[in-house]
Amino acid sequence: MKPEPRTLPPSPNWYCARCSDAAPGGIFGFAARTSVFLVRVGPGAGASPGAPPFRVVGELVGHTERVSGFTFSHHPGQYNLCATSSDDGTVKIWDVETKAVVTEHALHQHTISALHWSPTVKDLIVSGDEKGVVFCYWLNRSDSQHLFTEPRAIFCLTCSPHHENLVAIGYKDGIVIIIDISKKGEVVHRLRGHDDEIHSIAWCPLSGEDCLSINQEENSEEPDIPNGKLIAETPITKGCYLATGSKDQTIRIWSCSRGRGVMVLKLPFLKRRSGGVDPTVKERLWLTLHWPKNQPTQLVSSCFGGELLLWDLTQSWRRKYTLFSTSAEGHNHSRIVFNLCPLKTEDGKQLLLSTSMDRDVKCWDMATLECCWTLPSLGGFAYSLAFSPVDVGSLAIGVGDGMIRVWNTLSIKNNYDVKNFWQGVKSKVTALCWHPNKEGCLAFGTDDGKVGLYDTCSNKPPQISSTYHKKTVYRLAWGPPVPPMSLGGEGDRPSLTLYSCGGEGIVLQHNPWKLSGEAFDINKLVRDTNSIRYKLPVHTEISWKGDGKVMALGNEDGSIEIFQVPNLKLLCTIQQHHKLVNAIVWHHEHGSRPELSCLLASGSNNAVIYVHNLKAVLESNPESPITITEPYRTLSGHTAKVTSLAWSPHHDGRLVSACYDGTAQVWDALREEPLFNFRGHRGRLLCVAWSPVDPECIYSGADDFCVYRWLTSMQDHSRPPQGKKCIELEKKRLSQFKPKLKKKKKPTLRLPIKQDSSIGNEDESVRENLAPVENGLSDQDGEEEAQEPELPPSPVVCGEPVSCTAVSLGLEKSKVTVSSKVASLKKEPPKEKPEALLKKRKARSMLPLSTSLDHRSKEELHRDCLVLATATHARELHEDVSADLEERFHLGLFTDRAALYRMMETEGKGHLESGHPELCHQLMLWKGDLKGALQAAAERGELTDSLVAVAPVAGYSVWLWAVEAFAKQLCFQDQYVKAASYLLSIHRVYEAVELLRSNHLYREAIAVAKARLRPEDPVLKDLYLSWGSILERDGHYAIAAKCYLGATSAYDAAKVLARKGDAASLRTAAELAAIAGESELAASLALRCAQELLLLKNWVGAQEALGLHESLQGQRLVFCLLELLCRHLEEKQPPEVRGPSSIYHQWAAGSEGTLVQRVTGVWRSAFSVDTPEQCRAALQKLQDVKYPSATSNTPFRQLLLHVCHDLTLAMLSQQAASWEEAVPALLQAVVRSYTSGNFTLMQEIYSAFLPGGCDHLRDKLGDLSPTMAAFKSLEAFFIYGQLYEVWWSLCGPGSESSIWVWSAESTVSDKQSKPGDSASAEDVEQPPGPGLRLSAESERLLSACKELFSERHASLQTSQRTVAEVQETLAEMIRQHQKSQLCKATANGPNRDEPSQQTEWAPSQPPSPTEERNAPVSLPELTRRLTEANERIAEFPESVKAWPFPDVLECCLVLLHIGSQCPGAVNPEMQQQAQKLLQKYGHTRAYRRHCQIRHT
């Protein structure tokens, strides 16, 4: 069985009473999210010598929600069985050896909170839920028992190790009960004393109460008669102690014989050694217990800050305890501990394993109380991986739990030597990048836009850049400074600066010497240097070439831009991807082939990886930027977005990719071949990194909270899964935790992963927008847990955000609780009333207080008259009369104005108190105090339309002020459109437009600006561009294009329309660009449209698309030839194997004449290409298009297009009587077919374009032509193909006669595959049939084979093979040396997780005796061979090296086989020549075995 990959697992789940356990013999398991991870502990772990004896050996996968409980069976014979409980409502029983479910039940109707496998009954599993229901499940008989003793939330339960029917249960409110399950859950004891949650229950390992010398009268807190009645002593109630730990900070020891507490241990307030945490915060405490076996006088407990205490129970009056690991600094947990479980290893060691909120699993030696080892874990997505180029082996991991891990992967003593860095982070770490030269300098970026620098060699907090990105930081890169930072002197600026790319599409340049200074947006420099007038694309990726001279930027629209330092001159744009670019990587520069350093690999959201060779662009340094539309290599196989890429530093052209399909794929990029596929993750892969020291070792991280270290040679698969396999992986990924929505909480949306803004990917975008759930908590809450210990934990946390508009996300079982405030805003429709009740309501009185005072008693009214008369007729008012008038304010209606004002003021206050401010405002209007009414209404936010309407009465300034105040009030009420209308009424046009814009009312803002501002006002254009950017991000490309057109930016409009990528959108974009005069863009889009239609076999539509631009006339000819060739090939196939019907032109239906005649006829009739001048013009346009060479993995449709391009060049050159150009073009088409392995296509080219052979071309060229060497290669390939036709006609009998062989049974040649290497000549050999002889045509052909036996070409090919073999041997020696150094570094022996050095590099077949003799080759000898071979190659003329030639030795072998099958058919002189060439040049590895076989 192959070893498991080394795993950095997810963190153990928090706030669970029992989510880890260990089985005798050395298996430890802990629950992490929706699964259980298994760790082998002890000598059987297979760890390296000197390393801690533990290893992660597997995972139990099956639950769909958080695992809340885990317990092993501790019965001999079934140590391999364990049980788990989950929030999905199931209890599963597993076999850890097979990692499969044995059985399961879903008896609980509520969330399961406690689980335990009975230590006395081998098939009994007891579980309890949050509603107080207990289920006993007997595995062997599949029987169950339902118990409901207390209607309280169960927190923990533990079965007695002494009595098979006793179970102790702890509740959330502090109650502990002991029940007898044999008596239907009868309560034996109810233990009261705790006043908060019961976190842990531990039974004394020994029965009886003689093991502790506890004074029975001491600490008696409860009466001897519990529950008010006397319980008779039975064997069940006799003799046993029970320990409970509670959130109330106490441990209590209970006597089960009397049902009362006998000892109370209060946790001490210890001074924490690893940072300060307030110990009085009860919510931060989790008190777990472990009672060591055979040590009843000692008890282990957790404490406030992660410390472990060993209590001495023999001296209860002193409360004596011992701290674990008092000598080792930093070996204790730094956060609260959740679980403790014992483990006895195979060699008899007593260990204790603990899980904690600090995300570490620690192992303790109970003999010394010291920490043996620590297993670190991850509490979030693994977003980023980066190996240090200086400190080799240091792997930095950016995690979503707000911490950076630095893993020393080369540590000898500890396979998991991990340091945590959390200071100053406070958010998900989404990007990492080491400084290329400075040791320990690590740059990091977070999802809240922060960029910082950590010195991992010190404990200092990080430096944080003062310039934040507005969104998530996706990528960091170190590169040379560019202006303005590069304008200073050498000593005034750093040699390398930090570049960061954020989710808002901006790339910032940070000065590492002065992070407090402002960072610079490089877009300004790009725009100024290249005089760009259109909108710059949104950047999503940045990568610097190794020499620091070239920078690549990936964009949201799928384009990649290549810039040259120092001023970021745009060299070229790669238009290959059509979706957001996620990863760009340059090939390393230290390989055996320096020219590969110009390879650029890129991955995007469209699942295809493209590799571009930019050598020609970088060397030519074009004056104006060029556009590249064809890749050098295409790597297809993934089925989802590609998130990360990494080149192997040990190989040439080897690439690894990480993808959302859940796999990592290793490619041979030069051959377009998939090599190895890793499928160990259970989620979407986010990052990947190749080990700098081990050629086979790769690290990958994913959203399953894991980082895996895996070996390429250990993988069972070679390519990503397709079809059903892909569906199975998707199901595996979806089986991860689906969090429940938390009630009464609406978390904010977080975007931790790059977003594809395409509107068509709704499911994917919803998944990405959901906050990731980590350790049973959401990612956000996990970060709060890690950084803010003063906050209380949340037992149920929402991992999926609910939008504030209450839009359903389509999740099943989701319950959204609407607050009363929101509910109050929804008014029910008025109920209909009978007609009798529909009476006109009387208007409310303006002076209700005065009116009510006039309805008092007669005496009071009379008194009013007297007071009024006195006040009216008295010359001077006395104090008592004035007092009466103030008291009787309603009399102001009959006295002077001042009294009336006082009455109105009193009435106004009454209106305000009764909730009618509008009546108060009317009274103020009656007084003529309009300004005061407006001010009072504005202060209370109660301005109305009617009040503002009368404001002009108070004056112009008052009206302006009132309108502004009312507009502000409307904004607070979310009535932005109405507020803007009022601002327009006072001619505040710009403010109104900005108000609408800031609230994303772009349509209304544009309407206002268009109506009220000048057409050339820049605000209007800015509005169009801003709205267009938002629409483009949301995937509304057509409306975004209209916005760009409104902003007179037709270039951007065409680009955004093309982002959809379908044929209709591309055609519209091409037409738009043509109308706007963007001819280059129009031509490129039209060609893309035609290629899309070509995939649909819509030839008519493709030609119409190409006809949109006159510069594509040459491409129309290529597509015409391609259509006719496809029709020609299709007609030669049987009807039953033909594909779906294609939409051909009418002119493609004819079958008269040869293919060449039909092509020229259609060119003449349909495209008016007749004269040599027209052919020359089309030829010049097509010669500018260069396609990469083909490989055996080139898709057939792409190969056909490239071949037809070459054939079109050949035919146009022929029509223009330019034979010097026709022959190389025709040879290029043949070579493409040959190198791609498509022998059938090569033969079709010869039969269609050279049906009579190559002799007529020789006459056209002449013997002194400079292209005679190309002609000889073309002729050689023609003879090569005919040679194989003859040989195959000898080997395979058929039903049709052959022109090559005459026999009793006619034969037919097999043309469906390319002739293989020389091995095929040996493997296919068969004895000749009876009466078999060659035809005259075959014999004539064989005599022409002497053209193939070119000694110059044989020598050149042998030298080239020698160079390749020496380079391969050197690379192998380097890998072997690195492997041996690695083995020495790991304590003089290989890791048992990996195959031995000899096994890993053993050849697949036993070497021959000659190879064994020559096996040990020294480095000087290899260098000498390489030098000699290169010197021999340099001596050959360029005419020989420039043009490919068939393999001479292969042709020799084929000819000799034909001679052996048909004696006398081959000229003896030619046979001797073939044997001579094989003897002279057959010493390379490829032909050595075959030559030996021929000689024997």
Side-chain angles (χ1 to χ4, degrees), residues 116 273 329 488 938 1088:
H116 193 210
R273 289 163 284 180
E329 182 68 24
R1088 273 184 59 194

Side-chain angles (χ1 to χ4, degrees), residues 35 71 145 242 283 303 433 488 513 544 615 984 1100 1105 1135 1295 1423:
S35 57
T71 175
Q145 182 181 12
L242 185 73
E283 290 82 6
C303 199
C433 188
W513 289 1
W544 280 93
K615 186 173 186 293
L984 289 174
V1100 176
S1295 59
T1423 307

